[in-house]
Amino acid sequence: MTTQKLKDRVAIITGSGGGLGAECARVLAEHGANIVIVDINEQAASSVAAEIEAGGVQALAIRTDVSSEEDVKAMVAQVMARFGRIDVLHNNAAVLDVDQRQRDRDICNLDMDAWDRAIAVNLRGAVLCSKHVIPVMLKQGKGSVIFATSGLGAQGDLSLTGYATSKAALNMLPKLVAAQYGKQGVRGNAVQIGLAPAENAHASMPSELLDILRDNHLTPELGTPRQIADVVAFLASDESSFVTGTTLVADGGFGSHTPSLVAMRAFFEQSGRGGM
Ligand SMILES: NC(=O)c1ccc[n+]([C@@H]2O[C@H](COP(=O)([O-])OP(=O)(O)OC[C@H]3O[C@@H](n4cnc5c(N)ncnc54)[C@H](O)[C@@H]3O)[C@@H](O)[C@H]2O)c1
């Protein structure tokens, strides 16, 4: 992997006041990009920006609610005033706090405010940021737009109905970006993220649940924020210049195997016919 592959580029990362977004900010900064930390949590955004500036690149923290068009417009104007260009937009922000997760349940028990919030932040937010950033990229004749999706947007699960639906819809957006603006140099891709525990989202998960998830990975361990950020850095850079309109799956094989694999592995181990 090359280093400094994003030297002097300007990257906006939404929801980068913490979790995977903050790790993406650190890794893109390591590759030389100047970073715009966009988050609804101003204090968190400022603290990540200060950490990144200490590494020698420029960082700008902007408090933005990505579901508000007014906020997004003002954010893009502020970025242009400071840097005069935007090379990368990573649509990473999602509403995932404990309260939201407890209310965004199965369809029969779904709190419709939680549904509306999931769609507004995760989906509308990504569309709004793309709507206001892509015109800048079109003027430059180049840009990379990335969307953070999830395995929950591809396979059914017991809860998180609004979250899953918003993530499923996000898989369509890279195809639209690629089809609509590809000839003018703008690429669109998504990263379908598996479990890569970050401090906010999974702190409350019992270890038994994490064990079940680990058993279903085809890698020795669950993913890390760094492994996701490396994929984002690839999609942000010219290393992926022939990759557009697609969803790259970074999930340790979680979504790649037969539903019976874990039970079969246990069966073979117990019957002494050799584990795999
Ligand atoms: N962590 C994982 O294992 C995992 C798995 C699959 C997908 N993902 C996806 O990766 C992305 C990051 O996940 P995470 O685990 O780091 O989540 P997180 O909750 O740690 O971070 C989300 C960030 O978004 C910010 N945010 C929330 N609402 C916002 C709004 N309206 N405007 C601007 N910012 C807002 C939050 O303040 C927070 O800093 C999400 O899109 C998530 O769906 C994560």
Side-chain angles (χ1 to χ4, degrees):
M1 189 192 306
T2 57
T3 55
Q4 294 292 301
K5 60 190 171 199
L6 295 169
K7 189 158 172 45
D8 298 330
R9 307 268 170 98
V10 175
I12 296 176
I13 305 173
T14 68
S16 50
L20 301 192
E23 186 67 359
C24 289
R26 292 182 197 105
V27 171
L28 268 59
E30 267 178 34
H31 286 293
N34 297 313
I35 309 288
V36 184
I37 310 289
V38 165
D39 207 288
I40 199 165
N41 182 337
E42 190 166 17
Q43 211 184 343
S46 300
S47 119
V48 175
E51 179 196 332
I52 282 176
E53 285 217 297
V57 297
Q58 296 183 62
L60 173 64
I62 307 179
R63 191 258 166 219
T64 310
D65 176 351
V66 293
S67 68
S68 153
E69 185 154 21
E70 212 175 296
D71 274 21
V72 171
K73 266 192 200 164
M75 178 272 285
V76 173
Q78 208 180 321
V79 177
M80 290 305 285
R82 167 80 178 264
F83 293 111
R85 60 180 301 113
I86 303 168
D87 301 283
V88 177
L89 167 65
H90 180 31
N91 286 299
N92 165 83
V95 56
L96 275 166
D97 55 77
V98 174
D99 176 58
Q100 171 74 14
R101 293 166 77 88
Q102 283 171 350
R103 293 186 297 126
D104 184 9
R105 296 176 59 190
D106 62 285
I107 295 171
C108 296
N109 294 295
L110 183 58
D111 175 336
M112 292 314 290
D113 287 340
W115 163 273
D116 288 345
R117 191 79 190 130
I119 301 296
V121 175
N122 309 356
L123 182 56
R124 176 184 157 90
V127 173
L128 278 177
C129 290
S130 305
K131 174 181 170 181
H132 291 285
V133 168
I134 289 173
V136 174
M137 294 176 166
L138 291 174
K139 277 195 195 137
Q140 296 165 184
K142 190 169 177 176
S144 173
V145 181
I146 304 162
F147 301 89
T149 69
S150 164
L152 289 182
Q155 290 172 305
D157 212 335
L158 299 174
S159 186
L160 294 179
T161 302
Y163 176 79
T165 308
S166 72
K167 292 294 175 182
L170 278 173
N171 280 313
M172 192 59 207
L173 288 171
K175 298 183 209 286
L176 293 171
V177 170
Q180 293 169 2
Y181 309 113
K183 287 288 182 198
Q184 292 145 280
V186 178
R187 294 186 295 118
N189 290 292
V191 191
Q192 182 178 307
I193 303 168
L195 192 69
E199 69 269 31
N200 300 336
H202 305 293
S204 57
M205 284 176 79
S207 64
E208 292 90 337
L209 266 187
L210 290 170
D211 287 343
I212 292 171
L213 292 164
R214 191 178 292 104
D215 280 351
N216 276 285
H217 279 64
L218 307 181
T219 47
E221 278 304 324
L222 299 175
T224 63
R226 173 78 201 206
Q227 287 170 315
I228 303 305
D230 283 338
V231 175
V232 170
F234 166 70
L235 291 176
S237 77
D238 295 344
E239 285 183 348
S240 59
S241 54
F242 202 49
V243 182
T244 194
T246 195
T247 295
L248 206 160
V249 179
D251 72 347
F254 186 77
S256 311
H257 59 76
T258 57
S260 58
L261 179 138
V262 173
M264 294 292 263
R265 189 196 282 138
F267 171 77
F268 286 126
E269 276 168 9
Q270 276 162 21
S271 65
R273 289 181 216 178
M276 284 188 277

